[in-house]
Amino acid sequence: MAVCADKPVWRTESYAAQVEKHWPETGKHILAQYDDTSIVVYQAFRPEIAEFAVENQRFGGPFYNPNRMSWIKTNFLWMMYRCGWASKENQQRVLAVRITREGFDEILANAYTPKAQEEAGLSKDQLKVRLQWDPDHEPAGTTRLPRRAIQLGLKGEILHRYASDWIVSITDITDTVQEQYRVLQTSGTDQLQVAAERVYHVSDPKTKALIGADDWAG
């Protein structure tokens, strides 16, 4: 587990305000909550895995399979689309996993889309991180957006390092997820509070070219 003197608090902001002021409408962008040293990624699990992770501040236990590819997402609303706002089977608990930016940048530096993997001549066994740029969605999940959201599939040694070495904190945000889903159902997006996120700028040119992230000056 990574050492951090003052562990940052997971924050929410108005969905409507972020759409208006901070999020690009199109392109491939990493939307994330981050600071100078850490970044938040999301995963949804069955209760037993989530409870072990929160209690021990690492992943493990009898229900966690370290030999299976594990997918992380930086975009809160993309996680909500995938887990149905914590309603899908084996995805009832949503975790905000804060990891070091050093670790996240290493994940990105080893991330390949299927096309990039083919061009690099990498076999399935050689691949450390699978990258997918998928259509982002509005909060209700019924409308696709022109913007693309990133998800990263980790396996092997890089998954081991993510699951233990790079973790700053693990927070169960399921109560907030369920609360805001009720807001969405009753009041729409005007009052909706979601994770405070901005575009994460990939500083290394080689990594940026590898993953295909777009420029954004906002």
Side-chain angles (χ1 to χ4, degrees):
M1 182 174 177
V3 176
C4 183
D6 297 309
K7 293 181 180 179
V9 176
W10 183 74
R11 298 177 295 103
T12 61
E13 287 182 8
S14 162
Y15 166 77
Q18 292 188 86
V19 169
E20 180 182 355
K21 299 177 181 179
H22 302 298
W23 296 349
E25 294 182 359
T26 63
K28 298 176 182 176
H29 301 283
I30 301 173
L31 289 182
Q33 184 167 141
Y34 61 93
D35 57 26
D36 290 342
T37 60
S38 65
I39 183 170
V40 175
V41 299
Y42 301 96
Q43 293 193 275
F45 292 105
R46 59 188 290 178
E48 295 90 344
I49 295 176
E51 288 165 7
F52 181 97
V54 172
E55 181 179 349
N56 296 277
Q57 291 295 290
R58 64 176 177 84
F59 290 103
F63 296 96
Y64 180 78
N65 184 357
N67 299 313
R68 180 181 178 182
M69 180 171 280
S70 188
W71 291 87
I72 62 174
K73 301 159 182 66
T74 67
N75 182 331
F76 173 81
L77 285 174
W78 178 240
M79 183 74 261
M80 296 306 98
Y81 172 73
R82 295 298 297 173
C83 73
W85 291 84
S87 68
K88 294 184 179 180
E89 185 178 2
N90 294 326
Q91 298 186 68
Q92 306 98 315
R93 299 278 288 275
V94 181
L95 303 181
V97 184
R98 187 176 291 274
I99 64 173
T100 65
R101 281 184 61 166
E102 180 181 5
F104 183 70
D105 288 344
E106 184 167 339
I107 290 170
L108 291 181
N110 287 279
Y112 287 80
T113 63
K115 180 181 178 181
Q117 179 187 354
E118 182 179 358
E119 291 173 347
L122 293 176
S123 68
K124 182 178 179 181
D125 291 339
Q126 291 174 306
L127 189 69
K128 297 179 180 180
V129 181
R130 164 73 70 207
L131 183 155
Q132 291 182 190
W133 288 107
D134 295 305
D136 209 345
H137 288 70
E138 45 70 56
T142 55
T143 303
R144 288 187 174 191
L145 300 175
R147 185 178 61 239
R148 293 277 172 161
I150 196 171
Q151 62 174 338
L152 299 154
L154 318 182
K155 68 175 186 176
E157 177 62 23
I158 211 160
L159 174 58
H160 171 75
R161 296 183 69 188
Y162 160 78
S164 55
D165 299 346
W166 293 333
I167 290 174
V168 175
S169 65
I170 301 177
T171 304
D172 189 332
I173 60 170
T174 307
D175 288 347
T176 300
V177 166
Q178 294 172 341
E179 173 188 296
Q180 291 305 309
Y181 184 56
R182 289 191 291 270
V183 171
L184 178 63
Q185 290 180 305
T186 57
S187 306
T189 58
D190 287 346
Q191 303 300 318
L192 184 65
Q193 295 284 312
V194 299
E197 296 177 348
R198 303 292 185 267
V199 173
Y200 185 85
H201 296 282
V202 182
S203 58
D204 181 71
K206 183 178 179 181
T207 298
K208 184 178 179 182
L210 174 65
I211 67 173
D214 290 323
D215 290 323
W216 193 64

